[in-house]
Amino acid sequence: MITTRADGLTLDTDPARIDLDRVHHWLSTDAFWALGRSRETVERSIENSLAFGVYAPDAAGQLAFARVVTDYATFGWLCDVYVAREARGRGIGTWLAESVVGTLAPLGLKRLMLSTLDAHEVYERVGFSVVPEPRKLMVITAPGA
């Protein structure tokens, strides 16, 4: 899927277009949830997810990234959403989230989830809400994570 905004930014789900070195750098050095993540792990995670990239029409290249882990039938997990620091404040994160939700809507997933520490308002704008019954959720966390 390819979508272009009025300002020329393009959103694309082609995994071959992802700038793996850039995304790895963002996640492993600036995303608190993925600090130190290996390039191999980033590459494997993209290979096994529906990946979204936002690209500038000029030499700036890729400006944002997100991926969804999904079975394409019942469930999706939006994760690793990142907008380059120099591109923040331009509505790219909201556009990216809207695009993810819109792309997945025809699948009729029962549930699309995410975890966020500080961007609730961005995701609320596109329909996400706080988990109504958090006691139903459980997790296994890897040692040291």
Side-chain angles (χ1 to χ4, degrees):
M1 176 200 84
I2 300 175
T3 305
T4 303
R5 279 193 342 182
D7 62 2
L9 294 182
T10 301
L11 183 138
D12 195 345
T13 56
D14 180 357
R17 195 168 175 194
I18 299 292
D19 183 338
L20 183 59
D21 291 331
R22 185 174 290 194
V23 171
H24 170 251
H25 177 76
W26 288 338
L27 295 179
S28 67
T29 66
D30 195 41
F32 68 86
W33 66 91
L35 294 175
R37 189 178 288 176
S38 73
R39 188 179 188 284
E40 177 189 5
T41 297
V42 172
E43 183 174 19
R44 202 168 70 233
S45 71
I46 292 169
E47 288 171 357
N48 292 291
S49 301
L50 173 58
F52 293 78
V54 174
Y55 306 90
D58 55 26
Q62 189 167 353
L63 298 177
F65 173 77
R67 66 187 182 92
V68 177
V69 179
T70 184
D71 61 7
Y72 294 92
T74 64
F75 180 79
W77 181 265
L78 174 57
C79 53
D80 290 340
V81 179
Y82 187 91
V83 177
R85 287 192 175 272
E86 67 275 11
R88 293 178 187 171
R90 296 169 48 190
I92 294 171
T94 299
W95 181 50
L96 181 54
E98 287 171 344
S99 298
V100 167
V101 170
T103 298
L104 296 174
L107 301 177
L109 303 181
K110 181 177 180 178
R111 190 166 287 113
L112 177 59
M113 298 181 73
L114 64 84
S115 176
T116 184
L117 181 64
D118 58 2
H120 290 81
E121 69 284 347
V122 170
Y123 299 108
E124 287 170 346
R125 280 186 220 126
V126 300
F128 284 91
S129 61
V130 174
V131 174
E133 298 180 68
R135 294 213 25 92
K136 287 184 176 182
L137 296 175
M138 298 183 78
V139 64
I140 295 175
T141 303

